[in-house]
């Protein structure tokens, strides 16, 4: 479901933004002081999932489920449900885009100050993770824009193929996040440096 993925991406980008913003303003960030926010970020995608399941069950009578609308799978023939889900995902992703832009601005400002005064906020290694999260967010945004396209042409299989790659985005997550030097070093633990 695009709504679940978009909320999960939003929470990931929001967490990165909060940490970078605290570092930008030179405030200490202690994870144990934000327990409620952490739990809300963990629960949010599942809450959205349950809400949309309940809505689908409420609207989706067995006679409304068919493969006529979609190429690869069965769907509930309800424009209202489909449009609501797609628009919700689009709004969450727009908020994610705003956070990503804000994060890029903060990182850019700090990067300029590093070049000028050799600030202690970021090193090149610490910039690695925010850039990877932004790359993942961009990938999700492209896939979710395909979701909007699927609203206009539900019979086309192309948006569904791209959306499916997001829903099972393990390969993309591995390519973006598991190629960090420290993770590769941990994976190759048996080798002595």
């Amino acid at each position: 479901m695009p709504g679940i993925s978009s909320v999960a991406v939003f929470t990931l980008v929001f967490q990165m933004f909060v940490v970078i913003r605290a570092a930008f303003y030179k405030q200490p960030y202690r994870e144990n002081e934000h327990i409620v926010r952490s739990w809300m970020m963990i629960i949010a995608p599942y809450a959205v999932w349950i809400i949309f399941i309940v809505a689908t069950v409420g609207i989706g009578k067995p006679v409304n489920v068919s493969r006529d609308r979609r190429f690869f799978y069965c769907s509930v023939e309800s424009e209202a449900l489909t449009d609501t889900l797609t628009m919700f995902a689009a709004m969450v992703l727009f908020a994610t885009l705003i956070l990503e832009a804000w994060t890029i601005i903060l990182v850019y400002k700090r990067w300029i100050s590093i070049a000028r005064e050799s600030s202690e906020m970021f090193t090149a290694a610490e910039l690695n993770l925010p850039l990877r999260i932004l790359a993942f967010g961009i990938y999700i945004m492209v896939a979710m824009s395909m979701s909007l396209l699927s609203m206009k042409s539900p019979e086309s299989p192309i948006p569904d193929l791209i959306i499916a790659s997001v829903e099972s985005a393990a390969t993309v997550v591995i390519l973006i996040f598991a190629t960090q030097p420290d993770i590769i070093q941990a994976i190759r633990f048996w080798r002595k440096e």
Side-chain angles (χ1 to χ4, degrees):
M1 265 189 193
I4 300 164
S5 300
S6 61
V7 172
V9 169
F10 176 80
T11 60
L12 176 71
V13 171
F14 180 73
Q15 177 65 22
M16 176 200 61
F17 168 75
V18 168
V19 171
I20 287 178
R21 189 170 146 257
F24 180 80
Y25 291 113
K26 298 183 178 162
Q27 300 168 343
Y29 181 82
R30 294 179 191 87
E31 193 66 42
N32 59 354
E33 294 176 359
H34 306 285
I35 299 294
V36 173
R37 184 177 63 215
S38 296
W39 276 104
M40 287 177 65
M41 289 175 19
I42 291 169
I43 293 170
Y46 298 105
V48 169
W49 180 61
I50 290 170
I51 289 168
F52 280 117
I53 283 178
V54 169
T56 303
V57 168
I59 293 172
K61 297 176 179 70
V63 294
N64 292 342
V65 177
S66 73
R67 273 195 56 201
D68 294 340
R69 271 178 41 122
R70 298 292 183 178
F71 186 79
F72 289 115
Y73 56 87
C74 295
S75 69
V76 177
E77 291 185 37
S78 170
E79 294 297 323
L81 178 68
T82 304
D83 292 350
T84 302
L85 179 65
T86 304
M87 293 311 293
F88 173 79
M91 287 188 303
V92 171
L93 288 172
F94 183 71
T96 305
L97 182 62
I98 290 170
L99 280 179
E100 286 186 348
W102 197 349
T103 303
I104 289 170
I105 290 168
L106 289 176
V107 169
Y108 179 75
K109 284 181 179 179
R110 186 50 68 186
W111 192 259
I112 296 292
S113 74
I114 288 172
R116 288 188 187 149
E117 62 192 47
S118 182
S119 174
E120 301 162 358
M121 184 185 143
F122 290 125
T123 65
E126 290 168 335
L127 282 174
N128 195 354
L129 183 61
L131 293 176
R132 289 173 187 269
I133 291 174
L134 292 174
F136 182 66
I138 290 168
Y139 169 75
I140 294 293
M141 299 260 178
V142 167
M144 290 303 138
S145 67
M146 291 294 120
S147 178
L148 291 172
L149 178 63
S150 77
M151 226 169 78
K152 292 293 182 190
S153 61
E155 64 282 344
S156 174
I158 294 171
D160 288 331
L161 284 171
I162 295 173
I163 293 167
S165 75
V166 171
E167 298 299 329
S168 60
T171 304
V172 174
V173 170
I174 289 170
L175 288 174
I176 292 176
F177 294 110
T179 56
Q180 296 179 90
D182 55 340
I183 293 179
I184 290 175
Q185 183 179 2
I187 291 171
R188 300 180 346 188
F189 65 91
W190 63 88
R191 287 189 171 183
K192 295 185 179 182
E193 300 290 326

